[in-house]
Amino acid sequence: MTRTEEFQELRPLLFSIAYRILGSVSEAEDAVQETWLRYEGSPAEPRSAKAFLSATVSRISIDVLRSARVRREEYVGPWFPEPLLADPYEDPERSAELADSVSMAALLLLERLSPLERAVFVLREVFAFSFRDIASAVERSEAACRQLAVQARRHMDEGRPRFEADRRERDRLAVRFFDAMREGDVDGLQELLAADVHMVGDSGGKAPQLARPVIGLEKVTRMLAAFIPMLARTGGMMELHEVNGQPGGIFRDRDGRVLNTWALDILDGRIQTIRTVNNPDKLGHLGPVGDAWATLREVTEARRSAD
């Protein structure tokens, strides 16, 4: 097998590692491309292409994350990971770990870890790498990596997100939720939302956004029931789609351009959290991005006309 073939075979794994370390689709893709350049230019023949490439993409991702931390501290409003519609890497034996680790809630929890802790946790807990290979990847001793893994696991366990175990039931609830939103069905929404439901958005100051998180059944219900039907009157549409391994959707304008994504945390038959990504800089990998400000003006006009 040629190096190109080896790399292409391992590309899904490399992207999945990088995305979980970075929380960014674009930065993960750049890290994978840089990994290929280093692999292509290396004169040595590694004992294992998987070990070499995984170590390389992990080191690159750690370096990128260290500089990204500064930018995220200066970010306007809440920061969420770039939405991922489908994880390219599959492993039937670790499907549960892979799905949970890519959720918005889990990625936000990973933000609490140091870059080294995050890389060690991802490689060990999500992808089951040996401590020997992890030590090579992060350039620390195996003993140090074991300690980092313990620290990271403790931090993650303290806030580990819980989700609806039955995926079919979860997906059915999401369909009912989006149907109720589309119809402005207040009673239907209240049956599906938790009493302390949170709705939070990431706009980065570059798109319309809530002034602050909306919390509580009554407030969230009123906002959804009033706004979403008006969006439909302007030709906007909702497209159900899994987002970061959880039920969610993509909102589009009349021309099919992406306005934002929604991801739902569901537990005990109720929607606990709604996270929206509105920052256009985080949506470009999903297709052409619409003008959310123009859409908001149209929605506002539609509401005035209805009144």
Side-chain angles (χ1 to χ4, degrees):
M1 185 181 292
T2 66
R3 283 196 174 189
T4 301
E5 291 169 336
E6 286 178 326
F7 179 80
Q8 291 302 329
E9 184 175 283
L10 291 165
R11 180 187 280 273
L13 170 63
L14 303 179
F15 174 86
S16 293
I17 291 171
Y19 178 76
R20 285 166 174 79
I21 295 175
L22 293 166
S24 166
V25 172
S26 54
E27 289 175 347
E29 289 173 343
D30 289 345
V32 171
Q33 182 60 29
E34 177 62 24
T35 298
W36 162 246
L37 294 175
R38 295 188 187 184
Y39 187 43
E40 184 185 38
S42 173
E45 193 63 39
R47 63 177 176 82
S48 162
K50 178 181 177 181
F52 177 88
L53 291 168
S54 299
T56 302
V57 82
S58 297
R59 289 190 208 110
I60 292 169
S61 297
I62 289 170
D63 288 342
V64 172
L65 182 59
R66 284 176 175 144
S67 61
R69 281 290 173 89
V70 177
R71 297 193 302 275
R72 291 176 191 178
E73 289 171 1
E74 300 170 349
Y75 196 79
V76 177
W79 179 93
F80 291 162
E82 289 185 10
L84 183 69
L85 300 189
D87 187 354
Y89 179 70
E90 296 180 0
D91 180 350
E93 294 183 2
R94 304 194 64 78
S95 58
E97 292 90 341
L98 289 168
D100 286 351
S101 66
V102 83
S103 72
M104 286 277 182
L107 290 171
L108 288 170
L109 198 54
L110 282 169
E111 285 289 304
R112 302 181 185 181
L113 307 183
S114 71
L116 274 179
E117 286 175 337
R118 185 164 180 166
V120 170
F121 182 87
V122 166
L123 292 172
R124 182 63 182 175
E125 299 295 328
V126 181
F127 295 98
F129 277 64
S130 70
F131 278 109
R132 175 189 176 187
D133 286 337
I134 295 171
S136 172
V138 303
E139 299 178 308
R140 296 291 189 276
S141 68
E142 287 189 40
C145 289
R146 291 179 187 276
Q147 184 59 35
L148 286 166
V150 169
Q151 293 168 192
R153 194 179 303 116
R154 183 172 62 248
H155 289 311
M156 293 296 289
D157 286 344
E158 288 171 359
R160 184 178 294 278
R162 293 172 58 224
F163 305 113
E164 191 72 53
D166 189 326
R167 295 177 67 89
R168 287 176 298 180
E169 180 60 30
R170 184 197 71 179
D171 293 342
R172 282 195 292 267
L173 190 148
V175 170
R176 289 172 58 201
F177 170 71
F178 283 110
D179 284 345
M181 274 205 308
R182 189 180 294 110
E183 296 165 8
D185 180 359
V186 173
D187 291 338
L189 287 170
Q190 290 187 334
E191 289 178 5
L192 302 171
L193 299 172
D196 61 346
V197 59
H198 284 52
M199 183 167 183
V200 191
D202 169 350
S203 71
K206 298 182 177 183
Q209 184 51 52
L210 305 168
R212 58 181 63 86
V214 180
I215 301 173
L217 179 61
E218 294 297 330
K219 292 180 179 178
V220 173
T221 299
R222 284 200 306 269
M223 192 195 69
L224 295 177
F227 180 78
I228 302 305
M230 293 302 169
L231 175 65
R233 289 192 185 188
T234 69
M237 62 199 82
M238 295 181 292
E239 173 187 315
L240 266 69
H241 205 295
E242 192 169 88
V243 177
N244 285 80
Q246 300 297 117
I250 302 172
F251 281 68
R252 301 179 184 273
D253 64 16
R254 66 163 60 90
D255 297 316
R257 295 172 300 190
V258 178
L259 295 172
N260 57 34
T261 63
W262 291 40
L264 312 178
D265 288 353
I266 297 174
L267 181 65
D268 298 330
R270 299 275 180 164
I271 295 167
Q272 309 290 329
T273 307
I274 303 168
R275 294 187 179 87
T276 70
V277 176
N278 311 303
N279 186 341
D281 294 345
K282 295 186 176 185
L283 302 172
H285 61 286
L286 305 179
V289 178
D291 184 341
W293 292 107
T295 299
L296 178 61
R297 288 192 293 270
E298 288 190 52
V299 169
T300 302
E301 281 298 317
R303 292 183 66 178
R304 287 173 181 163
S305 299
D307 294 339

